[in-house]
């Protein structure tokens, strides 16, 4: 499959090898480009060009009901039926709404999780921290885009950039404007082969997708007068970018819950984890213990108190979810 058009979507030698047994059975390789209410649009190679197949999933496959195909999946098709899902390299999950311990798949097989944060209104720092945790847990690399830079002055943008960098240690943060083109080249250079775009409603995600794609591939709406976003994107959709690579747009979220994310929390709060290694006691709770490097950092002003609060909150959320999963298993 050396010359397959799927290579523009990220197909490579490793996936070629993984698909060999399915090819021998006469199945067709494809990538899920859109999932909407149980219906799947799959991009396949037809005579060297990408073609969309409207497919459905064969639920008799072992484990398939619990692990439905998601946007970004590489699959094997028998005519218009998805029969197999190739192994996933990364998986973006968030907690489901309500009390369920099950998670919700946002996108799979991405290199970069692009987190859109609007500059024209005050950023919700705690929400950004949660998105960063979800991104690290996925196995992909987080990337923060501070959008709508044309709507604020340079001082406001600089302050927001500093704040975002403080709460996203080890993460690239880029100030962008889809309208003027500011920062778009820097963003493109960091996207990787497949990027998933996530963020709150009204963050300008669809406008950013159009700017990166070079055409109006996504509908856009103005932000409501009360500052809350509108849900322009209603389904997770894969968009091919000029020159190769893809961007997966996801619906805007009012909030995001961390799911099964111990490793993600540790990476998201790597500043605290690094300090914790210097505490006198290995089981230090960072409250009133002597020789606590974390409390010392707070008292000297090198670590914000709210970072500790957010860190503990996310850990408690992960612990609650773990207990709920154990109860569900029993």
């Amino acid at each position: 499959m050396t010359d397959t058009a799927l290579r523009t979507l990220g197909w490579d030698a490793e996936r070629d090898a993984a698909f060999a047994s399915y090819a021998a059975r006469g199945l067709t390789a494809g990538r899920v480009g859109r999932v909407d209410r149980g219906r799947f649009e799959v991009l396949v190679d037809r005579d060297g060009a990408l073609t969309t197949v409207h497919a459905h999933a064969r639920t008799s496959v072992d484990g398939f009901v619990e692990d439905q195909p998601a946007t970004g999946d590489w699959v094997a098709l028998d005519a218009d039926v998805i029969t197999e899902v190739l192994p996933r390299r990364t998986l973006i999950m968030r907690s489901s709404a309500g009390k369920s311990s099950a998670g919700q798949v946002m996108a799979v097989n991405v290199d970069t999780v692009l987190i859109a944060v609007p500059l024209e209104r005050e950023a919700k720092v705690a929400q950004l921290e949660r998105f960063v945790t979800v991104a690290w847990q996925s196995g992909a690399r987080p990337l923060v885009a501070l959008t709508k830079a044309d709507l604020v002055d340079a001082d406001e943008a600089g302050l927001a950039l500093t704040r975002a960098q403080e709460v996203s240690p080890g993460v690239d943060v880029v100030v962008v404007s889809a309208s003027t083109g500011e920062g778009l080249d820097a963003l493109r250079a960091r996207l990787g082969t497949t990027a998933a775009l996530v963020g709150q409603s009204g963050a300008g995600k669809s406008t950013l997708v159009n700017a990166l794609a070079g055409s109006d591939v996504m509908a856009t709406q103005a932000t409501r007068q009360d500052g809350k976003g509108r849900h322009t994107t209603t389904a997770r959709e894969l968009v091919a970018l000029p020159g190769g690579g893809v961007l997966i747009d996801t619906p805007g979220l009012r909030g995001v819950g961390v799911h099964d994310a111990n490793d993600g929390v540790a990476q998201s709060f790597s500043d605290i984890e690094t300090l914790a290694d210097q505490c006198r006691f290995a089981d230090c709770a960072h409250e009133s213990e002597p020789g606590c490097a974390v409390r010392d950092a707070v008292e000297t002003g090198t670590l914000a108190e709210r970072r500790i609060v957010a860190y503990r909150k996310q850990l408690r959320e992960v612990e609650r979810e773990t207990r709920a999963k154990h109860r569900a298993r029993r």
Side-chain angles (χ1 to χ4, degrees):
M1 301 184 70
T2 340
D3 300 322
T4 176
L6 293 179
R7 293 199 178 278
T8 61
L9 304 182
W11 186 270
D12 55 25
E14 185 181 327
R15 292 193 171 100
D16 223 358
F19 193 76
S21 61
Y22 304 132
R25 289 160 47 191
L27 301 181
T28 302
R31 191 167 197 189
V32 178
R34 181 181 171 92
V35 180
D36 192 4
R37 298 178 181 86
R39 296 188 296 271
F40 305 91
E41 292 182 7
V42 182
L43 293 164
V44 301
D45 181 341
R46 291 277 169 80
D47 300 322
L50 291 174
T51 303
T52 299
V53 172
H54 296 273
H56 61 277
R58 197 182 79 191
T59 55
S60 60
V61 177
D62 291 343
F64 216 71
V65 175
E66 294 81 12
D67 192 17
Q68 285 288 321
T71 305
D73 262 323
W74 292 98
V75 298
L77 284 167
D78 185 357
D80 63 349
V81 180
I82 298 173
T83 63
E84 306 287 349
V85 176
L86 272 64
R88 293 166 169 170
R89 293 179 182 173
T90 58
L91 170 66
I92 310 174
M93 294 274 290
R94 73 179 185 107
S95 292
S96 297
K99 297 181 179 179
S100 169
S101 61
Q104 182 182 62
V105 178
M106 298 174 69
V108 300
N109 293 323
V110 306
D111 308 300
T112 307
V113 181
L114 179 56
I115 305 164
V117 179
L119 279 170
E120 102 280 18
R121 58 182 187 269
E122 188 175 351
K124 297 177 181 176
V125 173
Q127 189 177 69
L128 172 57
E129 287 170 330
R130 286 170 170 272
F131 275 116
V132 171
T133 295
V134 168
W136 280 127
Q137 186 64 31
S138 74
R141 179 175 51 87
L143 171 63
V144 177
L146 301 179
T147 62
K148 305 185 180 183
D150 54 297
L151 300 182
V152 300
D153 61 35
D155 289 341
E156 288 177 291
L159 183 62
L161 176 63
T162 300
R163 189 183 302 120
Q165 289 171 331
E166 286 173 349
V167 301
S168 310
V171 177
D172 284 346
V173 183
V174 182
V175 175
V176 300
S177 167
S179 300
T180 67
E182 177 187 350
L184 289 182
D185 287 342
L187 204 61
R188 287 189 186 98
R190 292 167 168 81
L191 288 181
T193 303
T194 300
L197 180 56
V198 302
Q200 64 189 91
S201 303
K205 295 191 295 88
S206 296
T207 305
L208 183 57
V209 172
N210 290 340
L212 291 170
S215 60
D216 292 339
V217 293
M218 305 298 291
T220 60
Q221 294 187 52
T223 304
R224 286 163 30 178
Q225 290 184 346
D226 59 7
K228 294 181 179 179
R230 303 174 188 271
H231 291 289
T232 303
T233 304
T234 57
R236 296 164 184 86
E237 186 166 355
L238 185 149
V239 176
L241 297 179
V246 296
L247 184 64
I248 297 175
D249 191 18
T250 67
L253 302 170
R254 301 280 185 227
V256 60
V258 296
H259 175 80
D260 198 14
N262 276 308
D263 293 340
V265 173
Q267 287 180 282
S268 185
F269 293 88
S270 59
D271 49 348
I272 295 177
E273 294 276 324
T274 300
L275 286 168
D277 289 339
Q278 303 168 32
C279 291
R280 182 183 302 176
F281 303 108
D283 59 349
C284 184
H286 318 309
E287 292 175 349
S288 56
E289 297 88 343
C292 175
V294 175
R295 294 308 313 173
D296 287 347
V298 172
E299 288 166 14
T300 58
T302 56
L303 179 71
E305 176 77 35
R306 64 153 305 283
R307 282 287 282 171
I308 297 287
V309 174
Y311 176 62
R312 288 176 177 149
K313 187 173 182 179
Q314 287 196 23
L315 285 177
R316 286 197 301 271
E317 189 173 329
V318 172
E319 288 167 5
R320 281 197 304 270
E321 185 186 52
T322 301
R323 289 196 296 271
K325 285 168 71 176
H326 287 163
R327 284 196 300 270
R329 287 194 190 102
R330 287 200 299 269

